[in-house]
Amino acid sequence: MSEALVRMEGIEKHFPGVHALHQCRLELAAGEVHALVGENGAGKSTLMKIATGVYQKDEGRIILKGKEVNIPNTRAAQQLGISMIHQELNLMPDLTIAQNIFIGREPRKGIKLFVDDRKLNDQAQQLLNEMNLQLDPRTKVSELTVAKQQMVEIAKALSFQSEVLIMDEPTAALTNAEIEELFRIIEQLRGRGVGIVYISHRMEELKRITDRITVMRDGRYIDTVQTKDTSIDQIIAMMVGRELYVSTQQTTVEASEIRVLEVTNLNRGSAVKDVSFHLAKGEILGFAGLMGAGRTEVARAIFGADAIDSGDIRIHGHKVQLKAPHDAVKHGIGYLSEDRKRYGLMVDMDVKTNIAIASYRKARRLFGWMHDGKIDQSASHFVEALQIKTPSIHQQVKFLSGGNQQKVVIGKWLLRDCDILIFDEPTRGIDVGAKTEIYKLLDELAAQGKSIIMISSELPEILRMSHRIMVMCEGRITGELRQQDATQEAIMKYATMRIS
C-alpha cells in the first residue's frame, strides 16, 4: 500500500426521521483492498453513495489524493476516478452488453451523428477479454443470467479506468468459478494501484482478499483493523455488539405424520423434470443445488407463477390447480422471491401498505371501504414482532436496509396467515446479524406449525436450518438427506450428479 487515495472525515447524513451517519470516516490507500463491514442498516452503502455522488453529505470532508473535493453527482465522481458497483443490478435489459457498458460514451462516426457499432463492440470485447469473460458484446442483457449481468456491471465500472472502485456485495449472485475470476481481476487492479472498497457479508472472502477492515454499526464508525491480525469472531463481535442466535435444529413433528404439501411428477420444460417431494407440518425443508439446478423454477411452479406441463400438487391431501399466484395464496402458500425488490415489494410505498397488501380483502368494510385502523394496527404488530427497524409504518420501504426489507415481505405473508412459506435465498445480501434474526424467525415459525421450503445456495445455512434436504441438479431431484446424514460433501455429490 502507498499514499492515501481517499479520506472521508466526520461524515454526517440525515434522511427524514433517520440520522443515518454519525461522524463516520474511512481511509483508502492506493493498491489496497479495504473491506467495509457492518449489519444491514449500519450505513455502509450510504457512506459509499456519498463518495460516489448519489447522496450529498450534510457535514464532513472528502479528501482525494490530498485535495478536498466536492462530489455533487455521480458524473462528478466518475470524472474524479471513483466508480461503484451497486448491490442491485442497474442495467438496461433491452440493450446489448456493449451498449450498457458504454452508454452515454458511445464512439461516433462520420459527423458524430451516428454510433460506431463496430468500434463499440470491439472496445467492449477487449474489456471482456481482459476479464476473461466468454461473452458476446452484442448479446442483450435480458438474455444473461443474474451472475453474468453482475459481471457486466463490473466490466462497466472498470471501463471508466477508475482509481477508486467500490464493490457492494459483488459476489452475491456469482458461482464459485465466477468468484475466483472476480478475485483474479481484483488482484490485477491492486497491482495497478487501484484502491478498492469491498463491501461483503461473507467473512471468508474478506480474510482472503482484503488488507484492512473498517467496521460500522448503527451509522457509526467502530474501528479499522488489519485483516491478517483479526479473527472473524472479533469482526462479528464489533459488527453486532450482541450475542448471536444459534438454531436448535430440532423438528417438531415427524415428516411422515402430517403432510401439508405433496408434489408428484412435476414437469416444466427442461427446467423442472419429474420432481416429487413432500413437506410436513412444522418442517423446514431445504432445497440445495448449484445455480441453474431448477430450485427457483420448482418454487415458482408451486406458487402458480409459472405454468406446469404436468404433475400433481396436493395441499392437505386435496389435489389443487394453481394456475396463478392468487390461487396459491388462497390455499395458504406464501412465496418470498430471491429478488425481493422486483417480486416481493413495492419499494416506493410505505411499510404499512407492503405488509397489508396481500390481506386487504380481510380489512374491507361495507361497500368496499378499507378499515384503516385495523390495517395500521396489524402493520404495527408485525413491525414490533419482527423487530423491523423503521421510524414508522409510514416510512417508504426503499429507505430500509436489505434485512428489514426482507422482514417486511415476511410480515406480509404472516398477516395473510399462510401455512406454507417458500423462502428463496432468504438471507442473500443480508448481514450476519440480520441472518441470525431470520434463522430465529424461521425456527419460531416451524415451532408454531408453519411449514417452510427454504432454497439457499449457502451450504452452511442449509445444514444449519433444514430438517430434511432435497438436492437438485439440472432440473431433477438427485438426492434426499435427513439432517443427521447431511454434510457439505454429501450435498455436493448429489448437486453434481447428472442424470441422463
Side-chain angles (χ1 to χ4, degrees):
M1 292 186 293
S2 57
E3 66 183 72
L5 278 177
V6 180
R7 286 205 316 273
M8 303 181 75
E9 301 173 346
I11 304 297
E12 293 273 337
K13 183 63 182 175
H14 295 80
F15 294 110
V18 179
H19 191 174
L21 296 178
H22 309 249
Q23 292 294 305
C24 289
R25 65 181 190 265
L26 178 75
E27 181 182 280
L28 175 69
E32 176 187 21
V33 180
H34 192 128
L36 182 60
V37 302
E39 296 188 79
N40 282 83
K44 309 182 299 295
S45 294
T46 301
L47 185 63
M48 292 299 94
K49 285 178 179 178
I50 288 173
T52 53
V54 177
Y55 298 150
Q56 277 65 57
K57 57 184 170 55
D58 296 331
E59 295 179 25
R61 298 195 307 160
I62 301 174
I63 301 167
L64 180 65
K65 293 191 287 189
K67 180 180 179 181
E68 186 170 349
V69 295
N70 182 42
I71 308 178
N73 51 52
T74 55
R75 181 176 290 274
Q78 289 168 351
Q79 290 172 343
L80 289 168
I82 304 172
S83 292
M84 181 172 182
I85 303 163
H86 294 274
Q87 182 177 347
E88 306 295 338
L89 298 180
N90 193 28
L91 300 172
M92 282 164 270
D94 293 327
L95 298 184
T96 68
I97 292 172
Q99 289 167 340
N100 268 280
I101 290 175
F102 292 106
I103 190 162
R105 302 174 292 146
E106 300 90 345
R108 302 280 174 170
K109 61 183 177 180
I111 56 174
K112 306 298 182 181
L113 288 177
F114 303 102
V115 173
D116 189 336
D117 288 320
R118 176 177 290 182
K119 190 172 182 180
L120 175 72
N121 291 326
D122 287 346
Q123 288 178 351
Q125 188 66 67
Q126 182 180 355
L127 186 61
L128 295 171
N129 289 343
E130 289 175 5
M131 295 177 62
N132 197 23
L133 293 176
Q134 303 301 313
L135 293 174
D136 186 336
R138 297 167 295 183
T139 303
K140 281 189 176 182
V141 164
S142 59
E143 298 173 18
L144 302 177
T145 64
V146 173
K148 295 298 184 186
Q149 289 182 32
Q150 178 70 74
M151 297 304 278
V152 172
E153 282 274 28
I154 294 169
K156 181 179 178 180
L158 296 180
S159 72
F160 287 98
Q161 301 297 314
S162 302
E163 292 182 81
V164 177
L165 184 59
I166 301 162
M167 297 184 172
D168 191 354
E169 296 288 350
T171 64
L174 303 187
T175 65
N176 289 335
E178 289 162 335
I179 290 171
E180 290 299 322
E181 200 57 44
L182 173 64
F183 288 172
R184 181 189 67 80
I185 293 165
I186 288 174
E187 288 298 332
Q188 200 176 69
L189 294 171
R190 190 206 300 260
R192 284 165 33 190
V194 175
I196 298 172
V197 178
Y198 193 94
I199 302 174
S200 178
H201 297 128
R202 298 180 176 182
M203 296 293 113
E204 294 78 9
E205 288 182 4
L206 306 187
K207 291 294 289 184
R208 179 175 170 185
I209 65 167
T210 69
D211 301 297
R212 289 189 294 169
I213 299 173
T214 289
V215 182
M216 295 181 67
R217 186 171 72 237
D218 297 329
R220 290 179 167 83
Y221 170 87
I222 300 301
D223 199 4
T224 297
V225 296
Q226 296 291 328
T227 304
K228 61 182 175 59
D229 299 329
T230 312
S231 70
I232 290 176
D233 287 343
Q234 288 173 316
I235 297 167
I236 292 174
M238 286 189 286
M239 285 172 56
V240 302
R242 63 182 185 277
E243 185 178 352
L244 296 178
Y245 170 76
V246 178
S247 171
T248 57
Q249 291 187 311
Q250 293 185 1
T251 55
T252 56
V253 297
E254 291 294 329
S256 59
E257 285 185 7
I258 308 172
R259 295 190 176 190
V260 298
L261 174 68
E262 295 173 88
V263 175
T264 308
N265 304 126
L266 195 69
N267 288 279
R268 182 178 179 271
S270 61
V272 181
K273 305 172 186 176
D274 202 33
V275 166
S276 299
F277 67 93
H278 70 270
L279 175 67
K281 182 177 181 180
E283 179 182 31
I284 300 176
L285 179 64
F287 265 72
L290 301 177
M291 191 173 292
R295 298 165 299 164
T296 293
E297 289 77 5
V298 169
R300 287 178 58 84
I302 295 170
F303 192 61
D306 295 328
I308 63 173
D309 299 330
S310 61
D312 291 337
I313 299 174
R314 294 179 180 272
I315 297 176
H316 300 295
H318 302 289
K319 186 176 178 179
V320 296
Q321 297 289 330
L322 306 177
K323 297 182 178 180
H326 65 81
D327 294 328
V329 174
K330 284 194 295 185
H331 285 93
I333 301 176
Y335 176 47
L336 290 84
S337 167
E338 63 176 328
D339 190 344
R340 59 180 174 263
K341 289 192 175 180
R342 184 175 180 185
Y343 297 116
L345 294 167
M346 299 172 291
V347 295
D348 289 323
M349 302 192 79
D350 59 23
V351 171
K352 176 185 76 171
T353 303
N354 275 275
I355 289 177
I357 190 66
S359 305
Y360 269 146
R361 289 186 179 181
K362 293 183 178 181
R364 280 182 181 172
R365 286 174 164 173
L366 194 61
F367 305 119
W369 292 100
M370 303 306 296
H371 195 313
D372 289 335
K374 187 175 181 180
I375 293 172
D376 286 1
Q377 185 178 10
S378 298
S380 296
H381 167 75
F382 282 106
V383 165
E384 182 177 353
L386 299 175
Q387 297 181 10
I388 300 172
K389 294 178 182 177
T390 176
S392 76
I393 60 174
H394 306 293
Q395 175 74 296
Q396 286 181 296
V397 167
K398 66 183 177 184
F399 292 124
L400 302 187
S401 68
N404 286 300
Q405 288 179 354
Q406 190 76 305
K407 289 181 183 180
V408 170
V409 184
I410 295 171
K412 173 176 68 176
W413 295 120
L414 294 183
L415 177 58
R416 191 63 175 77
D417 199 24
C418 292
D419 295 321
I420 299 168
L421 295 165
I422 304 172
F423 288 74
D424 195 348
E425 301 288 0
T427 64
R428 174 171 288 171
I430 292 176
D431 62 81
V432 64
K435 276 185 179 183
T436 63
E437 292 178 5
I438 296 295
Y439 296 155
K440 182 178 181 181
L441 177 59
L442 295 186
D443 275 339
E444 289 173 350
L445 292 173
Q448 294 166 17
K450 303 290 186 184
S451 303
I452 297 168
I453 293 173
M454 186 184 74
I455 300 168
S456 177
S457 298
E458 296 189 28
L459 294 187
E461 181 170 272
I462 282 281
L463 292 167
R464 174 181 185 176
M465 295 301 300
S466 306
H467 303 128
R468 281 186 304 133
I469 300 170
M470 312 302 295
V471 189
M472 294 189 67
C473 179
E474 296 184 350
R476 300 181 187 274
I477 290 181
T478 50
E480 176 181 344
L481 296 165
R482 295 178 300 172
Q483 179 194 349
Q484 57 267 37
D485 302 324
T487 63
Q488 292 198 31
E489 291 76 17
I491 291 174
M492 288 306 299
K493 172 188 171 183
Y494 287 120
T496 55
M497 184 182 290
R498 305 180 66 178
I499 300 175
S500 58

